[in-house]
Amino acid sequence: MKLLINIVRWVARFLGIFLFLFFVWFAIEIGSPDLDMMSNQEVKLFIGNLIMLMGLIVVWKFEFIGCVLLIGGYIFFSLVNYSFWIGPIFPIFMIIGILHLFCWLADVFRIAKKISFSTRLFLK
């Protein structure tokens, strides 16, 4: 089970690396946006995208906080864009967030099971 969790975690991390590099490549190619020239909806979409990109970075150190940023950023992005399925690229943020949430929950349950088991041995 631990091997499966590690495989899923590293698949999600590699997807995140490639997605982050994809957005960095576009940012270098296009340049930084001028927030004064953007409409309110475009600014909100930019903020949602920034939240998701920060989630890709944070998830390496703090898995739960990063997956909350990824999932929450995608939901915010979807609500502002009035569509849940936004092209082929943006749903990958949600998939990565769900994979990391699965890994975090599996680790929490594994640790809780270990603590419960050792507590029973200690009390005997």
Side-chain angles (χ1 to χ4, degrees):
M1 184 67 174
K2 189 174 178 179
L3 177 65
L4 177 67
I5 294 168
N6 283 334
I7 290 172
V8 170
R9 181 176 287 126
W10 280 101
V11 165
R13 284 181 176 179
F14 282 127
L15 279 173
I17 289 170
F18 290 127
L19 193 62
F20 187 81
L21 291 176
F22 180 74
F23 277 91
V24 168
W25 177 55
F26 272 108
I28 291 171
E29 192 71 29
I30 295 171
S32 64
D34 187 12
L35 296 177
D36 295 332
M37 303 292 283
M38 298 171 91
S39 68
N40 284 339
Q41 184 176 7
E42 290 173 335
V43 171
K44 290 176 186 174
L45 291 173
F46 179 72
I47 290 170
N49 199 0
L50 265 160
I51 291 170
M52 291 185 288
L53 289 174
M54 283 189 323
L56 287 176
I57 296 169
V58 171
V59 80
W60 281 80
K61 183 71 176 171
F62 306 105
E63 198 165 28
F64 179 70
I65 296 170
C67 73
V68 167
L69 285 173
L70 283 167
I71 295 170
Y74 182 75
I75 290 172
F76 176 74
F77 192 86
S78 299
L79 290 175
V80 170
N81 206 24
Y82 305 114
S83 174
F84 189 72
W85 192 263
I86 308 162
I89 299 296
F90 287 104
I92 297 174
F93 283 111
M94 183 73 152
I95 293 169
I96 292 170
I98 291 171
L99 288 175
H100 278 292
L101 183 64
F102 167 75
C103 292
W104 180 79
L105 285 172
D107 279 344
V108 166
F109 285 130
R110 186 174 50 84
I111 291 170
K113 185 178 176 183
K114 188 184 295 184
I115 290 172
S116 170
F117 182 71
S118 66
T119 305
R120 280 185 283 164
L121 286 176
F122 180 71
L123 292 176
K124 282 186 176 182

